Amino acid sequence: MEINRIKAVLAESGKKNKWLSAKMRLNEATVSKWCTNASQPSLKTLKEIAKVLGVDIRELLNQTKN
């Protein structure tokens, strides 16, 4: 189950994993794991990602209900 939409939001904004890892000063492998949903960032980190991408934090999460 895909929990986050980080990869999709990056694509929508024309950005790559490498760009996000550089902006947040994180290892590229960490960001890659988030983008493949192999692991999840903490809520604090998710908030930072939203700020860097200029989106509402809710845009980074998949809905649990339709």
Side-chain angles (χ1 to χ4, degrees), residues 6-66:
I6 296 171
K7 183 177 182 176
V9 174
L10 281 169
E12 290 165 5
S13 62
K15 309 267 192 270
K16 303 277 184 185
N17 300 12
K18 189 173 183 173
W19 176 87
L20 183 60
S21 63
K23 278 292 209 184
M24 297 190 66
R25 297 182 177 157
L26 294 169
N27 186 301
E28 286 181 43
T30 300
V31 176
S32 179
K33 288 178 185 177
W34 296 339
C35 289
T36 60
N37 276 276
S39 68
Q40 301 301 321
S42 68
L43 286 176
K44 180 181 176 185
T45 303
L46 202 61
K47 186 177 178 180
E48 292 172 20
I49 295 168
K51 185 176 179 179
V52 167
L53 291 171
V55 298
D56 187 288
I57 193 171
R58 293 172 289 188
E59 290 184 46
L60 298 174
L61 299 170
N62 281 315
Q63 290 183 340
T64 56
K65 271 171 71 165
N66 289 336

